[in-house]
Every structure is written in C-alpha cells, then in structure tokens.
Amino acid sequence: FAFTKVARPGHRRLALTMAATKMSEADTKAKIREYLNLTLPECFIPELGEQKKGKVRDIYFAGPNVVMVTNDRVSAFDFILPNLIPFKGQVLNMISEWAFAQTKDIVPNALIENVDSMVVVQKKMKNLDVELIVRGYLWGSMAAAYEKGDRTFCGLSVADGLNRFQKFDTPLFTPTSKA
C-alpha cells in the first residue's frame, strides 16, 4: 500500500487551539459538544490486512509496516470506557510524534510517517513487552501499601512521613504489565 498524507484542514489546528487558549469551562464544553459526532470509536480497514484491536488503537500489519489508527476511545485501569472524547486520538498521536522526535538521536524508533492526524505508519518490530509507570505522586496502590507501612516498592525506597497525594522529589519508575 502507498500512503499519502491526508489534508484535513483545521482538525489538528483546532485541537491545538483548544489546548493552548484559555477558554471558559462553558465555552470549552460547548466546543466539545459541536464535535461529538466526529469522534472515531474504531476503524476497520480489511484491505490493510491482519488487524489487532488495542485499547486506544486499531493496528494493521501491512507488509513490512504497521499502520496504527488512534481512535477516541478512553481506557482507564485496563478497561475501555463507553464515552468517546473528540480529538483524543489526535492529541495522543501528537504526544507520540513529539516523544519520537525528542528521542530519535538517542535510540532508533519505529516511526516512519504520520499520514493523518490519527494514523501513523511504523516499522514492524518485535515488542519487548516492557511497560513502566512513572510515579510523580504517592497515589493509588502505592499509597495504600505505604499507609500499611511498606516503604520499598520494586526495590526503590520511599521516605517516611509522606502523605497520600504528596509529590515525590524525584519521579519513581516502576515496572508493570500490559493487560
């Protein structure tokens, strides 16, 4: 398959404008309501080959490449929630594109091209199945264990005297697993 960049005037610009400007809450909600009918819950393109459905991406294995369509689904705690968020997929792709650009001089990455605000083409690579949580605050399961007296998490020591939701001086990187 040959991929060409799809021009969708205003879509990426609108997402950036909404994020960058200080709109009132009411104006922001009204603007989101205008675009609720433009959300992408899923994408099925059989011409692209084998599909794998992720929590927030539909992934196609097309020859030597992988085509990833980021949708507007929302997942939390490994569950897909019923509501969609307009432009969520586009924003997620922009964050990914930025991260790839920031690290390309450190380590090679899979990104070949962003062909649309919600579609990227990547090299097919072996997945390492490594996932980390960057913990900036004492929160969630770590907070519950801390309150019971635990001070060591994944081999990392946490100081005494912290309160739930307190910010760590330095973020902690702890392993997790994909659901």
Side-chain angles (χ1 to χ4, degrees):
F1 288 93
F3 296 96
T4 53
K5 216 171 235 310
V6 178
R8 292 184 11 188
H11 283 221
R12 184 175 280 225
R13 187 173 44 246
L14 179 62
L16 287 172
T17 302
M18 288 176 64
T21 60
K22 294 192 180 215
M23 297 172 62
S24 73
E25 183 177 344
D27 289 342
T28 300
K29 287 180 178 180
K31 185 60 76 176
I32 289 171
R33 273 189 218 96
E34 281 181 48
Y35 292 94
L36 280 175
N37 63 335
L38 297 177
T39 56
L40 181 65
E42 60 187 341
C43 179
F44 180 61
I45 309 171
E47 295 83 4
L48 290 181
E50 176 191 350
Q51 180 197 40
K52 178 182 177 200
K53 193 179 209 74
K55 290 182 288 186
V56 296
R57 289 181 179 89
D58 295 316
I59 304 163
Y60 295 91
F61 299 91
N65 298 324
V66 176
V67 178
M68 300 172 69
V69 181
T70 307
N71 54 57
D72 295 318
R73 292 190 302 252
V74 179
S75 73
F77 306 106
D78 298 320
F79 292 98
I80 296 173
L81 303 177
N83 297 350
L84 301 172
I85 298 178
F87 307 110
K88 183 234 162 220
Q90 293 174 30
V91 172
L92 184 58
N93 265 4
M94 288 188 298
I95 292 168
S96 296
E97 186 177 14
W98 178 85
F100 280 133
Q102 297 303 305
T103 60
K104 69 181 177 186
D105 62 328
I106 300 168
V107 63
N109 61 56
L111 183 64
I112 294 173
E113 183 180 10
N114 270 24
V115 295
D116 181 78
S117 60
M118 297 177 83
V119 180
V120 296
V121 178
Q122 296 187 352
K123 297 176 222 167
K124 194 181 289 184
M125 302 178 87
K126 182 181 180 202
N127 191 346
L128 295 178
D129 291 326
V130 173
E131 187 173 348
L132 298 172
I133 298 174
V134 180
R135 299 179 184 270
Y137 294 83
L138 182 60
W139 188 75
S141 60
M142 181 183 267
Y146 183 90
E147 289 167 351
K148 291 178 182 172
D150 290 347
R151 296 295 182 267
T152 303
F153 302 91
C154 301
L156 302 171
S157 298
V158 177
D160 286 324
L162 299 178
N163 297 310
R164 184 178 281 260
F165 308 119
Q166 185 169 335
K167 185 175 182 176
F168 293 126
D169 291 335
T170 304
L172 304 177
F173 291 81
T174 60
T176 187
S177 60
K178 284 207 168 280

